[in-house]
Amino acid sequence: MGNVTNRSPRLWAFALADYWLTIVILYVLWRSYKHVVQLRTQYQSSPKARPEQYAVLVRDIPQPPSGSISEEVDTFFRGIYPTSYESCVVVTDMSKSSKVWNEIETCRRKLAHSEAVYEISKKRPTHRTGKFGLYGPKVDSIDYYKEEMEKLEPMLKDEQRNANSKSQKGAAIVIFNSRVAATSASQAMHSEFANKWTTMAAPEPREVVWGNLPIPLVQRLARQFMVYVVVFLTIVFYMIPIAFISAIIALDNLEKKLTFLKPIVETPAVKAILQAYLPQLALIVFLALLPMLLLKLSTLEGIPAQSHIVRAAAGKYFYFNVFNVFLGVTLAGSLFNSLNAIIDDPKSIVSLLSKSLPLQATFFITFVALKFFVGYGLQLCRIVPLIIFHLKRKYLCKTDEEIRDAWAPGSFNYATCVPADMLILTITVCYSVIAPVVLAFAIVYFGLGWLLMRNQALNVMVPSWESGGRMWPHMHSRILAALFLSQLTMLGYFGVKEFVYVFLMIPPIIATLVFAYICRQLFYPSFSGSSMSAASKEAKEVPPTESVIEEYTPKCMVSSHGTKGTSDPEKHDENI
């Protein structure tokens, strides 16, 4: 489009292309949303019952004047649901019992490792009892870990009793004897005040974040606001911490602080390399740590489910990518110089984008090509995990459990994979009319991605949890955001090209906004809970209350030390 002269009749072709782009995207999104809703309904109405379908998460339980919280929950729900309420699992302060349980688990694994070493070498292994085995008296490893486990197991039982009797918190998992009752209870308002007896569908047992369940509503809202402020500052001013780190690791400062490095740093070849790469190294390290920071911030919001935390972190990472990668590069690296103009006149961002976007077409086409040549190649060969596995197997792994853990491929990293794909989609949508050649590279990227990621999902990765397609509404919203950004850019660019009928670019924008509103009203409620029609489908076998309680009992609170069924990957073969 940059090659077309101002007021040229050929601009009509690009105007029609903008309409066609809008129609195709909205049509595909509509079909996709309906398809995902149908898949979610099939998942929820499956004859094979799952524990979370009979459980409801209750938060903001008021402190009873007398008696325990478990008695209060039992009395409250038995009065409302006399025939369908079964039992409850009250959240407790498990910090001490979790610490002891982790110590026992560490001793168990080390004991198994020591016994395997003894079986191979026929020589009893020894180690020092100090930190990292660097100091302290030398002891027989097998006897030492057996004695430690014998000491810790009574401590675990004491901590479990204290937690159950003295440390009950204002949250619980309430269990019902039917899916209909649980669905009804999860969507009902149980108090005249919104900050008491709040209910929601219980997360899958594998993904419950127990530490976040007792956080009160007011505190959750305050945490959410503070996290949003921190994320906003991180997205907009992310260069500040990078500049600070770069200043610290500047050569002059390093020479002053670490005088022993001076002879090395003064070497001309070394100095040239360090001056060239130290600032970039700071940027690479920061961007590598950013997903972990966003996951931690999302956890601090008080979100009760791991899948929800991942979705929240993915959203934050997407906005970071769009603001700093897409818009930052589009505005030719002068985003912060342009920020003052945008603050003074917010409407100027449209003209800035329309002038800058066409100039960066080559860069982004190369960016998309590099992503599928390098990114997918590394994903397919998985050379780094393969090397790490063989090193662990040769030097560290002695037991079958250690080998299995070293070989485990893990689950998809949705917090980074989804924002990366959404960034490519944003680039594609925004350049599809201005520089249509980007479509060829995007087709290759998403075509290879579909083949590769499908193979990884079916044959390689093992999911850590299942949320029933709840990531889709967030992806849908971000695709519409990309389309909206593209339409705003086209509106401004047609103005720059002095297209007489530039006002014709406004209807697609209105259509996108109306479409987003309709989809949110029509489809999104299906993802916030389960429908009564899906819950009413008959299950083959209703799980016993005891099994549901067992699934929702944290490992550190199980009476006898051992691994629960939910943590065994073989138990989830059918789900996978």
Side-chain angles (χ1 to χ4, degrees):
M1 192 173 175
N3 297 324
V4 179
T5 58
N6 292 358
R7 299 188 180 184
S8 170
R10 294 184 178 182
L11 290 173
W12 276 106
F14 294 95
L16 292 175
D18 187 57
Y19 271 81
W20 177 247
L21 176 72
T22 302
I23 292 169
V24 169
I25 289 180
L26 297 189
Y27 174 74
V28 172
L29 284 179
W30 180 267
R31 292 286 302 269
S32 300
Y33 221 142
K34 288 181 69 176
H35 179 60
V36 176
V37 168
Q38 290 169 356
L39 289 176
R40 179 170 169 80
T41 302
Q42 291 173 12
Y43 173 75
Q44 292 174 327
S45 59
S46 170
K48 184 179 179 181
R50 298 182 302 279
E52 63 271 18
Q53 294 180 309
Y54 295 85
V56 173
L57 171 59
V58 184
R59 307 172 86 178
D60 307 303
I61 300 172
Q63 190 67 31
S66 61
S68 64
I69 290 180
S70 58
E71 294 172 350
E72 179 76 5
V73 173
D74 193 76
T75 303
F76 183 83
F77 280 95
R78 199 172 293 282
I80 301 175
Y81 307 97
T83 59
S84 55
Y85 170 78
E86 289 290 330
S87 185
C88 68
V89 178
V90 176
V91 178
T92 61
D93 183 359
M94 301 174 289
S95 55
K96 293 181 179 179
S97 58
S98 178
K99 182 180 178 182
V100 177
W101 188 90
N102 287 330
E103 291 176 3
I104 294 175
E105 185 67 11
T106 302
C107 288
R108 182 190 67 78
R109 295 176 71 94
K110 289 183 176 180
L111 175 61
H113 181 90
S114 301
E115 289 174 341
V117 170
Y118 175 62
E119 187 175 342
I120 294 169
S121 64
K122 303 303 178 184
K123 182 181 177 181
R124 293 184 75 85
T126 59
H127 73 280
R128 296 187 181 276
T129 58
K131 201 168 185 65
F132 304 117
L134 299 175
Y135 58 90
K138 186 175 283 190
V139 296
D140 181 285
S141 298
I142 295 176
D143 293 339
Y144 176 80
Y145 292 126
K146 283 182 178 178
E147 291 170 5
E148 285 296 303
M149 289 182 68
E150 289 174 0
K151 290 180 193 174
L152 291 169
E153 282 173 356
M155 292 174 57
L156 177 62
K157 292 179 180 178
D158 291 339
E159 294 299 342
Q160 289 173 345
R161 279 195 295 268
N162 290 334
N164 286 324
S165 60
K166 302 176 183 177
S167 303
Q168 293 187 352
K169 300 292 184 179
I173 301 291
V174 174
I175 299 161
F176 295 85
N177 57 19
S178 73
R179 294 195 286 195
V180 172
T183 301
S184 175
S186 67
Q187 299 173 8
M189 186 172 180
H190 292 85
S191 172
E192 61 272 21
F193 301 105
N195 63 340
K196 291 181 180 179
W197 298 103
T198 56
T199 58
M200 61 179 291
E204 197 182 39
R206 294 179 291 174
E207 61 162 341
V208 177
V209 184
W210 294 101
N212 283 350
L213 300 191
I215 299 175
L217 176 63
V218 175
Q219 192 180 134
R220 295 200 299 271
L221 295 175
R223 284 173 174 235
Q224 191 178 53
F225 175 76
M226 291 167 59
V227 166
Y228 284 174
V229 170
V230 171
V231 170
F232 174 79
L233 295 176
T234 302
I235 291 174
V236 177
F237 303 107
Y238 88 104
M239 285 304 297
I240 294 176
I242 293 174
F244 178 72
I245 295 171
S246 300
I248 292 175
I249 64 175
L251 285 183
D252 294 338
N253 291 331
L254 286 178
E255 288 180 19
K256 292 176 184 177
K257 301 290 183 183
L258 306 173
T259 53
F260 63 89
L261 291 177
K262 192 170 183 179
I264 302 173
V265 172
E266 289 298 326
T267 307
V270 175
K271 188 171 185 177
I273 293 172
L274 292 177
Q275 285 178 335
Y277 291 106
L278 272 179
Q280 285 83 352
L281 182 63
L283 177 62
I284 291 169
V285 170
F286 177 80
L287 292 177
L289 295 176
L290 183 62
M292 291 186 284
L293 171 65
L294 296 178
L295 282 169
K296 184 65 177 176
L297 288 172
S298 299
T299 304
L300 292 175
E301 290 183 45
I303 296 172
Q306 191 63 39
S307 62
H308 191 176
I309 290 173
V310 169
R311 293 196 299 274
K316 297 175 179 68
Y317 198 32
F318 168 76
Y319 297 130
F320 178 89
N321 280 341
V322 169
F323 189 84
N324 288 302
V325 178
F326 181 67
L327 295 182
V329 172
T330 297
L331 297 177
S334 60
L335 183 59
F336 288 97
N337 296 332
S338 306
L339 202 56
N340 292 329
I342 294 172
I343 292 172
D344 294 338
D345 182 14
K347 297 178 182 177
S348 64
I349 191 170
V350 176
S351 60
L352 282 171
L353 278 173
S354 59
K355 293 174 183 176
S356 304
L357 205 63
L359 304 176
Q360 302 299 331
T362 304
F363 171 85
F364 281 117
I365 290 171
T366 308
F367 179 78
V368 175
L370 186 66
K371 286 286 286 184
F372 68 72
F373 276 127
V374 177
Y376 283 150
L378 292 174
Q379 178 68 246
L380 184 61
C381 66
R382 291 178 56 84
I383 189 68
V384 175
L386 184 65
I387 293 171
I388 292 173
F389 166 72
H390 282 290
L391 289 174
K392 284 184 175 181
R393 185 172 186 178
K394 185 173 179 61
Y395 298 107
L396 299 176
C397 300
K398 302 298 179 184
T399 65
D400 292 339
E401 183 181 14
E402 290 173 338
I403 294 174
R404 190 165 57 247
D405 290 345
W407 181 250
S411 59
F412 272 110
N413 189 1
Y414 292 99
T416 55
C417 291
V418 172
D421 287 343
M422 290 294 102
L423 174 63
I424 300 297
L425 193 62
T426 301
I427 292 170
T428 303
V429 171
C430 287
Y431 279 98
S432 57
V433 175
I434 294 174
V437 71
V438 75
L439 292 171
F441 293 90
I443 288 169
V444 175
Y445 176 85
F446 287 107
L448 285 176
W450 184 82
L451 292 171
L452 175 62
M453 291 305 180
R454 188 171 182 270
N455 173 73
Q456 302 296 83
L458 293 176
N459 303 319
V460 181
M461 302 296 187
V462 180
S464 301
W465 34 258
E466 175 59 61
S467 66
R470 285 189 173 182
M471 180 66 84
W472 168 252
H474 301 267
M475 297 170 68
H476 173 270
S477 300
R478 278 146 212 163
I479 295 170
L480 284 178
L483 178 61
F484 182 72
L485 184 61
S486 170
Q487 292 166 337
L488 282 179
T489 304
M490 292 303 299
L491 177 65
Y493 197 39
F494 273 108
V496 171
K497 288 290 185 180
E498 299 178 10
F499 185 53
V500 178
Y501 300 98
V502 66
F503 62 88
L504 293 177
M505 296 298 102
I506 296 176
I509 298 175
I510 297 173
T512 300
L513 295 175
V514 172
F515 179 84
Y517 176 78
I518 292 173
C519 285
R520 183 159 188 91
Q521 298 298 317
L522 189 62
F523 297 124
Y524 188 74
S526 300
F527 291 84
S528 60
S530 178
S531 67
M532 295 296 287
S533 61
S536 63
K537 302 293 183 182
E538 187 176 353
K540 284 184 179 178
E541 183 180 357
V542 177
T545 304
E546 293 75 17
S547 69
V548 180
I549 292 175
E550 183 183 351
E551 293 288 334
Y552 279 103
T553 302
K555 295 177 185 178
C556 63
M557 297 301 292
V558 177
S559 55
S560 59
H561 179 71
T563 334
K564 283 179 20 176
T566 50
S567 65
D568 186 356
E570 295 179 1
K571 297 287 182 75
H572 297 288
D573 283 347
E574 294 181 10
N575 290 339
I576 293 166

